[in-house]
Each structure stands twice: as structure tokens, then as C-alpha cells.
Amino acid sequence: MNKEAENACQEYQTLTRRSLLAGASAMVATGPVWMPKIAFAKDGSSGERDRLILINLRGGSDGLSFCCPHGDPEYYRVRPHIAVPQPGAGSNAAIDIDGYFGFAKAFEEFLDPFNSKHLAVLHAVGRENWSFSHFDAIKWMEQGDAAVNGQGGWLARHLASVDEMVPDSEIRAMNLYPSKPVVLHGGKKVFSAGRPEEIKYGGYFGDFDTNEVKKTFLRQYMRLRDKTRESVRDGIRAVDLIDRLKLASYVPDEGVVYDDTDLGNAMRVTAAMMKADVGIEVFHTQTHGWDTHIEQGTNDGALNSKMNDLARNVTMLYRDLMAQGITNWTLVIVSEFGRRVVENGGHGCEHGEANTMFVLSPNLKSSAGGTVITDWPGLEDENLTYHKSLRPTLDDRDVWAEILQKRLQNPNVDFVLPMHQPEKHDLLFDAA
Amino acid sequence: MIGNYLEKFSAASQSKDAEPQSRRRFLAGGAAAALTAVSAVASAQQLSKGGRRVRGGNTGTITFQGGSGGAGVTGSQVGGPGSAGGASRDPFAQYWSSSSLRLARRITYGLRYDELDAVSGMSFDDYLEQQLDYGSIDDSETINYLNSRYPHWKADVRASSDAGISWQAFMDPNIYYAAFSKRQLHARVVEFWLDHFYVNEEKARAFRMNEYVYSRIHPLAFTNFRAILGAVAKSPAMIMYLDNEKNRKDKPNINYARELLELHTVSSTGGYTEEDINEAAKMMTGWRIVWESYRADFTQVIFTDHMHEPGSKTVLGRTFEGVGADEFNQLLDFLDSLRATHDFICKKMYAFFIGREPSRAELDSYHAVWEATDGSVKDLLRNVLTEQNIMTAPSMYKQPFHFYVGILRQFNLKNAHIATLYYRYLRESGQVPFGWADPDGYPQSGDYWYNGHLIRLQHVMKLSAQNDVAIKYDGANLFPSRGTTSEFVEALNRNLFYGELPVPEKIWIHRHLRGKSLSIRNVRGAVAVALGSPSYQWY
């Protein structure tokens, strides 16, 4: 590692390091009004909790392109124009990963974590009778249940039902997007900014008493009783923290280069903030344009370049963190639904159901990492859903339940994901 | 100490209100009297069958004391300050006592200081009617400016394409019109329709969006739903955005058919199945964009018979004969006739202006109005924008667009590049017009937007500091430089808050100025405090 990078890393390491509080007492919720005031169970273990990095692909990503069943001739029959070519068939050929499934060429970068057993692909993940409406599907997925309306997002419930990873941290969840996603609604200490290093509060404005005005704002807003109060209070602390982090001068590990795309920048900032170890427990970002109704361009077009952007920058983050020996994290890539098995007349696909879920973590158990985990329903017509989509055989909430319990040290699964009894267990991680 | 201030300033404002010129009357007797007044207003309103709403008695300006939730209010609130709980008080309602000003808060992006007298001098009904009759509002200043600076803003798709219209040239008039047009209700209703019939600019492209926004939505916003639905359906922008371009016989693309039902008409609870979507898509086959550049109708939307799926189709129980081009019109006629469509549109309109869900009874009455007036937007607006609804509406948190446009408006920031500049602030706040990814448009609920509050405070400091030449405003009329602190605060109150600045906020401005002279520096600071006040973030 060159001197400059080393120094930069040192700087991040010397920023506040605090240890986890392992208390025995139950925590009483002091969350938003909709949260019942109950005592939450505490996880008995004193192990370190993973940071969660959630990447939401908006629009319904095509899981059958992400991880294609090249071993199934049916795949080529139903997608004559947009299937990922079989391994060995030309420059855009699928990269075989287990003899049946393969990565699209655009996901070549993912081979690095995959072959290191740090990436697992869950397939045919979804829920029965899902909605083909982006709006409804996102709401249900992010609220954690169809019936739970106006009660915030499940990730907010998670944050509310565990102790702060670092007591009195300024930010618990960093949302790298300017508006707050449903999954974090109701969450406290959630800071939202597409480019956090560009958010300034205060500064020199010429003949103007900035500090006086800021003081009045603070005092006035602390007297309020609505959500803008916490937004201002938490926002001020967050901006102050971010200012101290000097994100613009962050130097990643040698060989790590983030693209100057929205996702690339989000991954860069995530790396910087994680290395700074300041108590941020959740990172969230979202990217758009996955709603490929026409001219998907799986192999050499729009979808291809988006997938490339995703795989490159997520893998860069992976390398950046692993180089520093930072392993207490789990990264998940989801979308509100997959796309239909049969291509449409426009070389694209309609809204579908079951999809992939990518889980990237140094903590995957060795029998899970580097594999495709699925109860594969098949692509034959009789095995598809009524709407000719891939049939879901694994509920995404089962996956979240496992992550919550084993990696996020939160046993309160029935509070975070109400009205769901997980069916599948022990897919990804050993016991905590 | 605070107690003294409270006494002093609420006494001061009360005495001001006792002046004969005051347009406000306070109801004595608290909630009971307020409820009586509410029912009096309600019985005074008659729903019209074919024209204006009948006015019973002189409603004048009615004031209500107390918090949110008047008689007959049910349903969930959309992001109001008390929306998280049950019976929390709306913190602004008690101060926002003039009904015509309260209406202005909802139907404009903010009143300028020089509009205040005219508006508060009008009755609620007169003000509403004036804004509905938007054609007779002289908007020549704004229109002339737009015509000269953006000469292609009313161009058709071909001309926009030939002119190579940039996204900036397309985007700016939208911001400028909302900020400076006198036809404010029209601008708000245009915003409503653009969110409802949402199109993403990146996909549809500026030259199609230009025609869509300014030549379709703008002129039709106040007509009737079916006309708007039809204009949208045949627009190059929508046909492109939702892929009907690719919807052909034997190769259907159901994207537009899905969103037509889910987002534009009957909604996701409208009872349709995937089969209905497939059938609707078939009815829409053949409607495409002309790509052949040698044709006279190049860039237009046309129907091509050999691309159309023949045969009859059944959608939501109605069977349509396979007649070709007219099938799309028949489908739209049918959807426009459905109760589910009326309920959905009215619910959205109600939520947009009133900030909560209408009751079942209200929806029944709107359906009746729709039937009687063929979905007349103006008549629906009259029935949604009643004095009772406005005075009992929970406060709504300004979306970024609303907030920044309001600043442009109140401070009359008109320099040539202002729309471009404010586009940048909108991007930082996450609400670039036509920049939302999904077809459902920007969310209304404050839950998505509260996190950007600090960005607003930063902006008001920048603006008030007047250090940036790009956002210099003329403060001479807004903030007189002579006089006492009280006079200055009253000027702030009047010119930025319509004279209804909440007492606690008034106190904070006074506190900020305590012991300070009214130097330029201190005046700027006080303006920042005023603009950062909670009530400035809500409407």
C-alpha cells in the first residue's frame, strides 16, 4: 500500500473507535408513535453486529439475466432474442458457475467474491400472489407485509428494536439517496443525501451572522414536536460528522477504483464511512432503470451496462473493505420483483414475480458462499405461475429473518417482519 | 420571561386585528361554536348539477378556532404534522384563520406581498372563481417572457425536435410558470396532472416532453378528465414512455395498458386481472410513433391497421368489437365512465389539495358531480375546495418543488438563469421535475421529504445573506429599512406570512433581534430566521 493511501487509512482508523455495549437489560422502545412501547428481547451474544448494506434496484431487475439457467434448454426457447448465450458461445457468453447456472458476462467482476465464497445467489425468491405494480410491490416489500400500512419500514423497525451499535451515534442509517425509501420510514437517525459530501450547513455568506442564525434555528426547532424537529436535530449532527470525515479526500485501497456513477459514488462513500467506524449500522442506496420492458440489451445494451456498473462498484467496495480486514458486514441486492420468463415482442420482459437476491458477505458459511441457493421450480410452462413468471420457492422474508437473527443480532423477528413465519432457515450463515 | 413575550405579542396582534379594516373575526366559544359554524357552512353549500356551486348566504371569511379535525373528517392524513398520532393539534391551524388566505396556501405556491390585499379582500368563493376562470387573468408578463426566452416552448414535437430543444429549455418554463404566473391554481392543477399522468423525461426525451407539458397538459388542465386522458394517450411522450410504441399484433407490450388501469384510471384496487390488462393492450395495438422522416406526420402518433390485433376484446366485463382505430377511444370512454376511476381521481385530487382521504359520502357526491358535468375539472375542484374542507385540512409539508418555487415567487427572483439555478437545488433535494424513475410520480407524503429540511435551512441562509449575485432580490418593498424592530417584524409577517405568522415564531424573530440594531446584517439574519420558521415549510 502506498504511503498516501496508508496515511488516509490511518486517518480513518483513528477516528472515533467505540466498542459495542453488551448489556443484559431489555431495551424499551422509544420510537415513533406507531411503535408499541414494549421491551425488546436482547440477543445474548456479545459478538459484533454486521453493518447492513442494502442496494435496491428499482423497476424490477431481471434475475434470469443476472443468474441465468444456461443448463435448461427451455431458457433459450422462451428467450430467443435476449437469453444470455451459453458458456463458450461467443464474447457475450454466460460464465458458468455451477454447471447449470451462470453469470451474465456483465457480472464478471462478481466472480472475485463468488470464487472466494463470499457471494451467494439466492434464486426464485419472492412471494405468492405478489403485485405487478411497482408502487404496491415496493411498499409491501419495504413495509415487511402487505397489511402493515402507515407503520413505517421494516428496517426502521429493526433499528428501533436493537440498541444503537455505537451509543449516541450521529447517524444510524445512511441513505445515499435524496428521498427516504419506505423501508426506512419511521426510522430515527436516518440521514438521506445523494452526495453527502455536498451537504453543507452553515459557512461564510458575507455580511451575515451564520452562527447566530444557526443557533436560533437549533433552539427553535428543539421546541417543536413534529418530524422536522428530528430531521433538523439529527441532520445537524450528521452534517457535522460528515464534515469531519472529509469524504472528498477519501483514498480507497490500492487497485480500487470507483466509477463516477451514482452507484460508484455510493459505494465509495459507504467504504469511507465504514472505515471511519462511526456507528453507521445501515447503508442504503437505490438505482433506477431496471424496468426493462423493451430492448433489454442484456448482452450488449442498456441492461448490460447497468449490470456492469453494479458488479464493478459493489466488487470494488468488497475489495476496499477486505483489504483492511473489515469483515463485519453483509450486503444485499434486491428488487421489487423479477421479470417474466417469456420475452415479449419488444426484446424485453414484462413484470414478473420470483427474482434473485444477491448476498455478499465475508461471513457466509462455506457451504453457502460461492453457490446458487435455490429450490429451482423450472421454466417449463406447467411450472410457471399463472402469469408465466418464475414461481417463487423462497420467501425473501425468510432470508431477512436469518440475516436479522444471525448477523444483525436482532431476535425480534416477529416485530420487524410481522405476520410471517419463516419456513426456511440456515441457508446462509452459521449460528451467531 | 417567555410568558411576558407571549402576553405582549399576542395582545399586540389581537389589537391589530380589532382594527376596522381587519378581515378576520374570531369566533368566541371555542370548539362548539366552531362545529356549529362548520355545519352552517356545509348546509350553505349545494352541489351543483351543471354549473357553479350554489352559494347559500354570505359565507364571507369564516374563521375557526382550534386544531385540526373538524366535523365529519375521517380517514388518514397525508403527512400532516399530527399525522403520526391520533388527536394531535395542528400547530398552524389556529393562526391561519382567514379562509381565503388558507385557500391561497393550497392553490398557489405562495402569495406575493403585492397580491395580499386583493386576495384577503375577496371572499373565499370569489377568489376561487377568479382563479378557476384563469383565462381572464392577465398573465401577459409571464407569457411574453416565456415566449421570448423559450420560443419553442409551445412548439409541436417535430418543431421541438428540429430546434434541438435541450432538457434545460424544456425544464425551465415549467419552473418559471409555477413561480411567476398569476394563474396559480392553473399551475397547481398542471402539477397535479403531470404527477398523475407522469412521464419520465430521460426516457421520453425533451422534445416530446415539451409538447406534452405545454401543448397538451397546460391547455387542457381545466377542461374535463376524458379530454386530458385522451390527449395523454395519443401523445408521443406517453406512447414512448410506456412502450406502446412496441405494442403490436402478435407482439404485445402491456406496459401502458397496465399503467393506464393501475395509475391513470381505476387504480390497483379497481378489480382488474392480468387478463384485463392483456385484453386492453390488444385494443391499444397499432398506436405508434412515426419514425419515417420523409412522412409529413413524422414524430406524430398514428394508428397503423396492420399492426393492430383484430377480433373482439373483453376488459373488466365489457366486450368491444374489433373495429380498429376507434377501439382505443372506446377503451378510454369506458374507463372514464367507471366509478372506480371517479373515486381514484377524486381521492387523489382531494389528497393533493386537502391532505387527507375523502369520506365515502364525499366520494358519492363527487361521483354525482362527475356524472352531471362529464368529469369537469372545474366542477370537481369547486366541490373539493370548499371552505369547510380547506379550513379543516391538516397542514401539509411542502415538497421541495413547492418550497423552492414559493421562494422564487415571494422574492420575485426573475433573473435570466434562475430556473436553471433552482433546478440544481431541486436536484439536491431529490425532486427534479420529471426525474422520478417510476410512472407513479413523486410521493406526496412528508415521510419522503422531511430528511431534506436542513437543506432548506441552508438555502434560506444563502438567500437571506444576499451574498450570491444570482439570487439577489429587491428587498425594498419586502423589508422596509426604517422603523422599529416591531415594525420590521410586522413587515416580515405581512409580506411573507400574510399577517398570520404564528406567535411563537414571531417571538423567535424578536428574540433573534433582541439587543440588535436593524443593520443590513441583522435584517438579513432575521429574514433567514423567518424563512426557516416551521410555518414557512408547511401550507
Side-chain angles (χ1 to χ4, degrees), chain A residues 235-248:
Chain A
I236 289 174
R237 297 187 75 212
V239 171
D240 192 53
L241 169 69
I242 288 166
D243 214 33
R244 285 183 275 129
L245 293 180
K246 308 260 182 289
L247 292 171

Side-chain angles (χ1 to χ4, degrees), chain A residues 278-320:
Chain A
V278 288
I280 302 174
E281 321 182 23
V282 170
F283 294 87
H284 171 273
T285 192
Q286 56 188 58
T287 67
H288 301 274
W290 300 93
D291 192 18
T292 50
H293 281 270
I294 59 165
E295 302 301 337
Q296 242 178 229
T298 310
N299 301 312
D300 50 16
L303 183 56
N304 183 278
S305 70
K306 290 202 79 67
M307 287 170 68
N308 220 307
D309 177 47
L310 180 65
R312 271 178 53 77
N313 290 293
V314 168
T315 304
M316 286 299 169
L317 173 65
Y318 165 73
R319 288 192 194 131
D320 207 1

Side-chain angles (χ1 to χ4, degrees), chain B residues 13-146:
Chain B
S13 60
Q14 291 246 3
S15 64
K16 206 168 169 64
D17 292 335
E19 289 164 28
Q21 298 92 322
S22 165
R23 296 150 225 109
R24 278 173 273 155
R25 294 186 308 264
F26 283 98
L27 281 175
L35 283 176
T36 319
V38 166
S39 51
V41 169
S43 63
Q45 293 166 357
Q46 306 287 321
L47 297 170
S48 79
K49 284 253 158 194
R52 290 167 165 245
R53 179 161 52 82
V54 171
R55 285 178 255 168
N58 176 26
T59 53
T61 53
I62 302 267
T63 63
F64 294 83
Q65 217 169 33
S68 64
V73 171
T74 55
S76 55
Q77 294 181 353
V78 180
S83 62
S88 18
R89 259 172 84 96
D90 187 304
F92 313 119
Q94 60 182 302
Y95 301 106
W96 294 351
S97 47
S98 154
S99 65
S100 43
L101 290 178
R102 197 88 105 108
L103 179 63
R105 293 178 195 276
R106 288 291 148 114
I107 68 173
T108 74
Y109 292 99
L111 280 180
R112 290 164 31 145
Y113 74 94
D114 56 356
E115 296 174 312
L116 196 58
D117 284 341
V119 172
S120 40
M122 278 193 266
S123 72
F124 184 98
D125 290 345
D126 283 347
Y127 177 45
L128 179 59
E129 287 306 318
Q130 186 212 59
Q131 282 289 315
L132 283 171
D133 189 17
Y134 78 115
S136 57
I137 300 173
D138 177 12
D139 210 24
S140 49
E141 196 190 324
T142 297
I143 304 293
N144 290 341
Y145 174 82
L146 289 174

Side-chain angles (χ1 to χ4, degrees), chain B residues 313-335:
Chain B
K313 295 94 177 171
T314 303
V315 177
L316 284 163
R318 168 80 64 92
T319 300
F320 300 87
E321 293 310 309
V323 298
D326 201 49
E327 284 172 51
F328 197 3
N329 292 334
Q330 291 181 21
L331 176 64
L332 297 177
D333 286 340
F334 174 58
L335 293 170

Side-chain angles (χ1 to χ4, degrees), chain A residues 132-133 135-136 178 180 182 200-202 205 207 212 216 221 227 231 288 293-295 340 350 387, chain B residues 243 246 253-255 258 262 268 274 437 440 447-448 450-451 453 458 462 467 512 516 521 532:
Chain A
F132 293 117
S133 150
F135 182 57
D136 285 344
K180 204 173 184 182
V182 173
K200 301 268 176 287
Y201 183 58
F205 296 125
D207 193 14
E212 278 286 299
T216 302
Y221 273 83
K227 292 182 187 180
S231 170
H288 301 274
H293 281 270
I294 59 165
E295 302 301 337
R340 245 167 247 195
E350 303 300 336
H387 302 299
Chain B
D243 303 316
K246 299 282 187 173
N253 186 300
I254 64 173
N255 197 8
R258 175 189 304 287
E262 178 192 326
S268 59
E274 289 298 305
D440 57 339
D447 281 327
Y448 289 88
Y450 296 131
N451 50 259
H453 203 90
Q458 178 74 351
K462 270 181 75 164
N467 199 35
H512 186 82
K516 297 190 174 84
R521 184 187 185 87

